[in-house]
Amino acid sequence: MAAAAWIARRPVLWVGAAFLALTLNMDALAPHLGFLFPPGTRLVYSRASFPELVAAHALLTGAASLVAITLGIAAALFATRPMGRAYAGTLDRLGALAQTFPPVAVLALAVPSLGYGALPTAFALVLYGVLPVMGAGMAGLRSVPAPVLEAADGSGFSPAGRLWRIELPLAAPILFAGIRTSVTIGIGTATIGSTVGALTLGSPIIDGLSGGNPAYVLQGTVLVALFAVTVDLALAEVQRALTRRAR
Amino acid sequence: MIRFEAVSKRFGAVSAVDEVTLDVPRGTLCALVGTSGSGKSTLLRLANRLLEADAGRILVDGTDIATLPPVELRRRMGYVIQSVGLFPHWTVARNVATVPTLLGWPAARIRDRVAELLDLVGLPAESHAHRYPDELSGGQQQRVGVARALAGDPEVLLMDEPFGAVDPPTRRGLQDSLRDIQRRTGTTILLVTHDVEEAIRLGGTFAVLHQGRLLQTGTPAQVLAHPASEEVARFFGGPLLGLNRLKALCVGDRADFTAPPPAVDGAPIAAGATLEEALARMVAEGRAQLPVRRSPDGQPGVLTLADLVRP
């Protein structure tokens, strides 16, 4: 009973299970969905298998998120240290500017220099993903009360010790909320990478739209939505654990 | 133990501390008093190099602190601030263990030290060590703050209005604890306060600051009896300065213990009570003299209203 309640309180488990089951069985399920679509619609996407699409999508967004998170945290740290405090405003504005660029425009501009495929997509995702991490990182680090910092200095923490033991643990819940936003947005945005030839869950959507095949569009959409929700819920679990520990 | 030699500190055009020379002997408590903006907090923060002096030297135990790494210096000095600044993500025990951990003490010694200190500040370790700061009252948090500052066996304790944010009865309890702790540990304390009563209760010397300059030093009784200037007199109550003098002196200083003891009605007042208490009793009981009993020898004496106003 307790185990059942534990699972019921964690939607990530059953949403994740649905995502996994659908990914693995889409090819078997699709032929039975003909009644939903106009007669003659090809029902099974054939350019790549769904597990392949999910893996490619995960790899692309995972790598881009890793870079975006690293850059975002580095920028937030820089902007809140004595040497970088003067640049905090500039970084804020630069980040806001980066987000006003539509990702499609970034892709279009990146293609001439980076070519077609995963690389320009990753570039656009990184550019897009940095801002929420940087913003949340700065907000988190600034949320540490001034008396706590003064007490840490007065107790004799080194600057690095203060950052590691006091500031980062206290900033973690807010910082992690930014990471969660960044990753979730990235999973959705990655689909448009397929307009410039990256293999993602956007591929069936783009191919379906251009080829007039609603079955492909539906398959890609459902999977990418389940993917984003699963990851978001999983990160929410981590965030909850962090908040509990940081109190 | 701490010696300021012609120390100055400016913030832009404002001179926050202006050529202050002050000596705090080992094992004593010195209260830096003055109005807001008098430079007392700045002077305190110069002592552990949270601020750097523009001119002059500060010596701790004979060593110019400018030659010591700030981090090392601060670990040798306890630091307590009004807003406490406990680390909210750490338990009480871990907060108290801050400096010993930074100093790299072995775990067993840290554990013993934490238990000892929580006991010293009146928070039993069994019931408090594993709580988090947000589960404590303001007064309890400040006790933990004091314990944290004392944990590394500091030679010097720096306190910036440590009890300013707690209610008056709690504050008096904390002041009594601090006086007791100081007697037991022999720590040299430099304390900032704008509360005259607090400075008197803690019983050390005063250093009166005004607009960054040191106006007068001395015991509360000396300073209140002979304020060196208009500003000092104004700070110590202006027209009510006389009442503050009564707080700084005790019954034993003024009572007459010469035999034979005259017959005076009423319960005797302790020789260690303040003259303020004596006056309060005279007013409440409607009499101009009180019997006095001196401890430990039990010698009887008498205190009259005239003794209170004697210069």
Side-chain angles (χ1 to χ4, degrees):
Chain A
M1 260 338 269
W6 190 86
I7 290 168
R9 271 187 286 112
R10 278 164 184 77
V12 60
L13 295 175
W14 39 272
V15 177
F19 171 56
L20 201 67
L22 215 52
T23 302
L24 296 174
N25 301 309
M26 188 66 92
D27 290 347
L29 184 68
H32 302 292
L33 298 176
F35 65 93
L36 285 172
F37 305 107
T41 304
R42 289 172 62 188
L43 295 173
V44 182
Y45 186 67
S46 54
R47 208 177 117 205
S49 74
F50 282 98
E52 268 179 275
L53 288 175
V54 169
H57 196 107
L59 198 68
L60 182 64
T61 46
S65 291
L66 222 56
V67 177
I69 290 166
T70 310
L71 288 178
I73 292 178
L77 286 180
F78 176 71
T80 51
R81 296 307 100 188
M83 57 168 180
R85 213 157 283 156
Y87 302 95
T90 314
L91 280 171
D92 267 336
R93 279 188 292 278
L94 212 66
L97 192 73
Q99 193 119 83
T100 58
F101 261 68
V104 175
V106 176
L107 278 180
L109 290 173
V111 166
S113 52
L114 297 174
Y116 285 89
L119 206 59
T121 312
F123 177 74
L125 288 179
V126 168
L127 209 62
Y128 246 59
V130 167
L131 177 77
V133 178
M134 184 180 79
M138 280 160 75
L141 289 166
R142 285 174 187 156
S143 76
V144 181
V148 169
L149 296 178
E150 188 179 355
D153 285 338
S155 299
F157 277 99
S158 62
R162 184 183 98 168
L163 176 66
W164 193 246
R165 311 253 189 90
I166 308 294
E167 291 182 78
L168 281 177
L170 290 175
I174 297 176
L175 168 66
F176 198 80
I179 291 178
R180 184 179 159 196
T181 307
S182 169
V183 173
T184 311
I185 289 177
I187 291 173
T189 311
T191 50
I192 62 157
S194 296
T195 56
V196 293
L199 191 68
T200 71
L201 283 170
S203 303
I205 300 177
I206 304 291
D207 292 349
L209 288 174
S210 57
N213 184 325
Y216 293 176
V217 176
L218 182 72
Q219 288 160 9
T221 309
V222 167
L223 282 181
V224 82
L226 280 175
F227 191 7
V229 172
T230 302
V231 170
D232 188 55
L233 289 171
L235 294 178
E237 290 294 326
V238 180
Q239 196 180 346
R240 202 160 62 170
L242 275 178
T243 310
R244 198 164 42 230
R245 218 154 41 105
R247 300 181 64 84
Chain B
M1 186 67 203
I2 315 178
R3 192 173 157 69
F4 296 87
E5 289 180 351
V7 172
S8 297
K9 174 71 184 175
R10 303 182 70 83
F11 294 116
V14 183
S15 184
V17 170
D18 190 5
E19 298 228 350
V20 168
T21 296
L22 173 68
D23 200 13
V24 185
R26 182 183 293 275
T28 63
L29 182 147
C30 177
L32 301 172
V33 296
T35 49
S36 307
S38 60
K40 53 194 195 303
S41 288
T42 304
L43 191 63
L44 189 82
R45 291 157 63 89
L46 289 170
N48 65 356
R49 292 187 64 188
L50 286 176
L51 295 172
E52 299 288 349
D54 295 331
R57 298 198 303 167
I58 302 169
L59 306 175
V60 171
D61 209 9
T63 312
D64 185 346
I65 62 166
T67 65
L68 299 170
V71 164
E72 199 180 290
L73 174 74
R74 290 171 196 159
R75 290 173 189 176
R76 281 172 53 195
M77 297 178 137
Y79 187 54
V80 183
I81 51 179
Q82 179 177 350
S83 32
V84 198
L86 293 181
F87 306 131
H89 57 312
W90 285 1
T91 60
V92 165
R94 197 160 169 210
N95 265 284
V96 175
T98 302
V99 177
T101 307
L102 287 170
L103 290 171
W105 289 13
R109 185 174 167 208
I110 293 178
R111 212 168 32 243
D112 292 347
R113 182 69 179 150
V114 168
E116 180 190 339
L117 275 162
L118 286 177
D119 210 44
L120 187 70
V121 298
L123 296 171
E126 314 81 65
S127 48
H128 293 83
H130 299 292
R131 296 222 204 151
Y132 283 87
D134 62 2
E135 298 168 320
L136 303 177
S137 70
Q140 287 174 327
Q141 289 187 17
Q142 196 51 277
R143 284 176 190 274
V144 176
V146 172
R148 179 176 65 182
L150 287 169
D153 279 325
E155 303 139 293
V156 173
L157 196 54
L158 304 175
M159 310 181 91
D160 194 347
E161 302 202 14
F163 311 133
V166 292
D167 59 83
T170 308
R171 189 184 312 154
R172 276 192 288 279
L174 286 164
Q175 287 161 351
D176 290 342
S177 302
L178 181 65
R179 203 170 45 191
D180 198 46
I181 288 166
Q182 201 230 352
R183 282 196 193 126
R184 273 200 267 172
T185 59
T187 313
T188 308
I189 299 179
L190 190 59
L191 175 133
V192 164
T193 182
H194 59 241
D195 177 355
V196 178
E197 241 184 292
E198 172 163 281
I200 294 169
R201 279 182 79 86
L202 291 172
T205 55
F206 281 164
V208 189
L209 289 149
H210 184 68
Q211 294 177 348
R213 283 174 305 117
L214 182 63
L215 297 183
Q216 191 173 6
T217 56
T219 64
Q222 285 164 354
V223 174
L224 286 158
H226 308 287
S229 68
E230 192 67 19
E231 283 94 4
V232 178
R234 195 169 333 119
F235 178 74
F236 287 106
L240 299 178
L241 179 128
L243 292 178
N244 280 326
R245 265 176 84 179
L246 294 178
K247 291 173 187 158
L249 293 168
C250 63
V251 171
D253 299 335
R254 292 293 174 89
D256 182 7
F257 291 107
T258 53
V264 178
D265 290 342
I269 188 167
T274 64
L275 289 185
E276 186 190 32
E277 272 175 64
L279 179 66
R281 268 198 53 193
M282 286 179 184
V283 171
E285 295 171 19
R287 45 171 123 241
Q289 50 185 5
L290 289 173
V292 180
R293 184 173 300 278
R294 188 168 67 189
S295 62
D297 61 3
Q299 174 72 30
V302 66
L303 181 76
T304 67
L305 193 54
D307 292 328
L308 296 184
V309 297
R310 219 166 59 205

